[in-house]
Amino acid sequence: MASVLSYESLVHAVAGAVGSMTAMTVFFPLDTARLRLQVDEKRKSKTTHMVLLEIIKEEGLLAPYRGWFPVISSLCCSNFVYFYTFNSLKAVWVKGQHSTTAKDLVVGFVAGVVNVLLTTPLWVVNTRLKLQGAKFRNEDIVPTNYNGIIDAFHQIIRDEGILALWNGTFPSLLLVFNPAIQFMFYEGLKRQLLKKRMKLSSVDVFIIGAIAKAIATTVTYPLQTVQSILRFGHHRLNPENRTLGSLRNILYLLHQRVSCRYGETFRPPEGIAVSLLYHHYKSLLSEMPSENCSHFNQKEKHS
């Protein structure tokens, strides 16, 4: 219990939250472009800067930063929960022993499940607020009209039921393998580098973080697209069955939105290039605070 409530776990949680908030703020327009391409499959802009230029031209200069506050609030809570749970479980399980890749994977998975169950309502609300006012190409998308975070919670519960706040939970639970895969590769690469040197430089952290995140993003991207659509929850997908989170509809979305079509030239899913670019640059800022805190804590222990 002392390991779970330790100062070191708290420092890692705060550092992870601050690092992710900073990265999201800096690269928020890339995340806006990614979300638009995932939800609105009829938007066919070829490059990231073309997507952003279209958004600015149609919706205004500040449109790429629409929904910044609810997203940052959700991200802060989500990363605090994830990093706190991850480092607490790791401290309890390892207990001074050498960690292994398998243990990192299990701890990352459990931390991801806890994070999903606690913070999905925040992500459902911020996804809808971020897409509010967007000019969609797809006519099957129903616009939203919320007056802030509290009003969004109120309207969703009133019109769709409280369980609607957990839309997309099933693909989100599957997506816990994303951070689990990321941390598995990240920790494995870090251990290999630490065998050759005393500590990692900022460049080392950036490189292994980017590699780990790129692998995790590529593997799980189809489910990320389905997750975004279900959280938004305003597609006229199935008039007879409004339960967008059903397995049948998830498979339908996977087939319609991200599967390769037989007989056509292979095309990557819309938005994957933007997503890889976004996560690549985000890794530069997300991992460094946590690693620097690790070095600081080690220094404090020996001072």
Side-chain angles (χ1 to χ4, degrees), residues 77-219:
C77 295
S78 180
N79 279 279
F80 184 90
V81 170
Y82 184 84
F83 278 96
Y84 192 93
T85 305
F86 181 86
N87 286 285
S88 296
L89 291 175
K90 190 174 179 180
V92 171
W93 193 3
V94 175
K95 292 182 179 179
Q97 302 174 359
H98 290 291
S99 183
T100 64
T101 301
K103 287 183 178 180
D104 291 334
L105 179 61
V106 173
V107 171
F109 180 82
V110 174
V113 170
V114 173
N115 182 35
V116 166
L117 296 178
L118 292 179
T119 65
T120 290
L122 293 173
W123 288 108
V124 168
V125 167
N126 83 53
T127 298
R128 298 190 182 193
L129 289 172
K130 189 171 183 179
L131 291 171
Q132 186 164 275
K135 304 295 183 182
F136 294 112
R137 305 289 192 273
N138 188 351
E139 297 178 355
D140 290 331
I141 298 177
V142 182
T144 60
N145 185 24
Y146 303 121
N147 295 316
I149 298 175
I150 302 301
D151 183 59
F153 272 106
H154 174 72
Q155 286 196 43
I156 292 171
I157 294 173
R158 182 192 65 194
D159 299 336
E160 305 172 47
I162 193 169
L163 292 180
L165 291 173
W166 277 268
N167 276 353
T169 297
F170 181 67
S172 295
L173 286 173
L174 296 179
L175 278 170
V176 299
F177 283 108
N178 185 300
I181 293 170
Q182 177 190 353
F183 271 91
M184 179 184 69
F185 280 97
Y186 179 82
E187 294 290 336
L189 291 170
K190 185 174 73 172
R191 275 192 294 273
Q192 292 301 314
L193 288 176
L194 287 175
K195 290 179 180 179
K196 303 176 182 179
R197 62 196 72 178
M198 293 297 296
K199 66 177 183 178
L200 300 182
S201 67
S202 296
V203 175
D204 293 330
V205 172
F206 168 62
I207 292 175
I208 64 176
I211 292 173
K213 191 60 182 178
I215 294 172
T217 299
T218 302
V219 170

Side-chain angles (χ1 to χ4, degrees), residues 55-72:
I55 293 172
I56 292 172
K57 182 179 179 180
E58 296 173 359
E59 304 169 32
L61 186 62
L62 297 179
Y65 274 92
R66 181 185 293 122
W68 174 84
F69 180 74
V71 170
I72 289 298

Side-chain angles (χ1 to χ4, degrees), residues 34 38 175 177-183 185 209-225 269 271-283:
R34 173 195 64 83
Q38 286 179 335
L175 278 170
F177 283 108
N178 185 300
I181 293 170
Q182 177 190 353
F183 271 91
F185 280 97
I211 292 173
K213 191 60 182 178
I215 294 172
T217 299
T218 302
V219 170
T220 61
Y221 187 79
L223 281 173
Q224 292 178 43
T225 299
I272 190 170
V274 179
S275 185
L276 286 171
L277 182 65
Y278 163 70
H279 288 300
H280 177 77
Y281 286 119
K282 184 181 173 185
S283 296

Side-chain angles (χ1 to χ4, degrees), residues 37 40-55 58 137 270-271 274:
L37 289 169
D40 188 5
E41 82 282 6
K42 292 186 178 181
R43 184 182 288 273
K44 299 296 183 181
S45 297
K46 296 181 179 180
T47 62
T48 303
H49 77 275
M50 285 301 297
V51 176
L52 293 174
L53 285 175
E54 284 183 359
I55 293 172
E58 296 173 359
R137 305 289 192 273
E270 294 292 339
V274 179

Side-chain angles (χ1 to χ4, degrees), residues 283-296:
S283 296
L284 174 64
L285 297 177
S286 295
E287 297 292 347
M288 288 183 185
S290 181
E291 289 301 321
N292 289 334
C293 283
S294 295
H295 298 324
F296 175 77

